[in-house]
Amino acid sequence: AAGVIQSPRHLIKEKRETATLKCYPIPRHDTVYWYQQGPGQDPQFLISFYEKMQSDKGSIPDRFSAQQFSDYHSELNMSSLELGDSALYFCASRKTGTSYNYGYTFGSGTRLTVV
Amino acid sequence: GEDVEQSLFLSVREGDSSVINCTYTDSSSTYLYWYKQEPGAGLQLLTYIFSNMDMKQDQRLTVLLNKKDKHLSLRIADTQTGDSAIYFCAERYGGSQGNLIFGKGTKLSVKP
C-alpha cells in the first residue's frame, strides 16, 4: 500500500539559509499535518491543511510557511534557519469526513540539521 | 492548554507483560492513539480507541480507557526485545480534522 512520502530524508543547511521540505500524502487523503520533533522530544504540531486550505496552526514560527498544492502534496518552507530548527520533521496524512476513523499515517520524516 | 502525560521509562523482562500509562486533559477527545517509534525511525500507528469504548484488543495489544479519570493504558503481552522502542500516547484535538497532541513518550526497554 502507498505510504506518505517525504523528501528529502536528510538535509544539512547552514544558519540563515532556507530549506524546503516536501510531503506526498496517501492518495485520496484530504488532510495533511506537519510536525516537528526535536531530539528526545515528542512531536509538536506545526500546521495542517484540509482540501488545500490551511486548517489549523500550531507552534509554527513566523519564519516558516507551508502550502498544499492542487495535487495535494504539501511543502514546508523554512527561512533564516537557526540551530534550534535542527529536528525531525514529519508529515502525516489522513482521510476525514467519514464515519470510520482513519488513523494519522506518518511519513518517515526529514532530518534537518542546521550547522 | 491540552496536555498528555506519560511516564518516561519502563523496563521489563522478555516474556513479561508491559503496561504503559497515559493521562490526558481534553474530555472531548473522541479518539486516542498509541504510536511506536524505533530509534531514528518514523511514527508507526499501533492502535487507537474510540472514546465510547472501555477496551480494545488487537493480538498482543490491549488498550484500556477510563474516560472518567482520563486515563489510557497500553498492555503488551509476551513482550519481546523487538518491542523496545518509544511509545507515544496521543489524543485527537479539534474535531474531525483535528491534529494530534502527543505525550512525551515512554521508552520501553526489554531485557532478554
Side-chain angles (χ1 to χ4, degrees):
Chain A
V4 177
I5 306 297
Q6 290 188 247
S7 67
R9 288 296 307 275
H10 302 273
L11 190 59
I12 299 176
K13 289 285 185 178
E14 295 189 355
K15 282 194 304 184
R16 293 179 288 277
E17 284 193 317
T18 60
T20 297
L21 310 186
K22 296 185 179 183
C23 169
Y24 296 84
I26 291 173
R28 291 181 293 283
H29 278 197
D30 51 25
T31 308
V32 165
Y33 307 81
W34 285 97
Y35 285 83
Q36 177 192 58
Q37 186 180 29
Q41 302 295 314
D42 55 300
Q44 294 291 316
F45 170 67
L46 293 178
I47 195 167
S48 62
F49 293 87
Y50 170 68
E51 287 290 348
K52 294 158 277 184
M53 299 287 289
Q54 184 180 306
S55 174
D56 198 5
K57 207 170 180 180
S59 50
I60 184 169
D62 292 340
R63 299 177 289 108
F64 295 7
S65 65
Q67 56 182 324
Q68 187 176 29
F69 295 85
S70 58
D71 64 352
Y72 289 88
H73 95 271
S74 179
E75 294 184 3
L76 178 66
N77 299 294
M78 310 158 74
S79 63
S80 303
L81 286 168
E82 301 173 358
L83 296 178
D85 296 328
S86 296
L88 198 51
Y89 290 83
F90 287 109
C91 170
S93 78
R94 179 161 176 267
K95 182 172 176 58
T96 63
T98 64
S99 58
Y100 178 78
N101 172 59
Y102 290 88
Y104 299 69
T105 303
F106 284 79
S108 298
T110 294
R111 184 170 295 281
L112 172 67
T113 303
V114 181
V115 298
Chain B
E2 307 311 321
D3 197 19
V4 178
E5 294 191 358
Q6 303 176 237
S7 51
L8 295 182
F9 302 98
L10 177 64
S11 181
V12 300
R13 292 218 170 270
E14 194 173 19
D16 287 350
S17 291
S18 308
V19 179
I20 302 171
N21 294 300
C22 167
T23 57
Y24 60 98
T25 57
D26 185 4
S27 58
S28 65
S29 290
T30 50
Y31 288 95
L32 296 135
Y33 302 81
W34 285 102
Y35 281 85
K36 175 184 180 183
Q37 186 176 37
E38 297 182 32
L43 293 158
Q44 176 194 352
L45 175 65
L46 286 179
T47 188
Y48 66 90
I49 189 167
F50 186 49
S51 58
N52 70 352
M53 299 168 68
D54 298 324
M55 185 182 87
K56 181 179 181 182
Q57 189 153 359
D58 185 0
Q59 299 181 37
R60 292 191 298 125
L61 305 178
T62 303
V63 179
L64 295 178
L65 175 61
N66 181 330
K67 198 173 177 185
K68 175 175 167 289
D69 294 338
K70 296 178 197 166
H71 182 264
L72 183 74
S73 68
L74 174 70
R75 178 176 179 270
I76 305 173
D78 186 26
T79 313
Q80 302 297 307
T81 54
D83 295 324
S84 293
I86 297 177
Y87 290 80
F88 289 98
C89 167
E91 63 171 343
R92 188 169 90 187
Y93 175 72
S96 177
Q97 292 147 30
N99 54 279
L100 292 177
I101 296 176
F102 287 87
K104 298 293 183 194
T106 299
K107 184 173 183 179
L108 174 64
S109 298
V110 183
K111 300 185 189 322

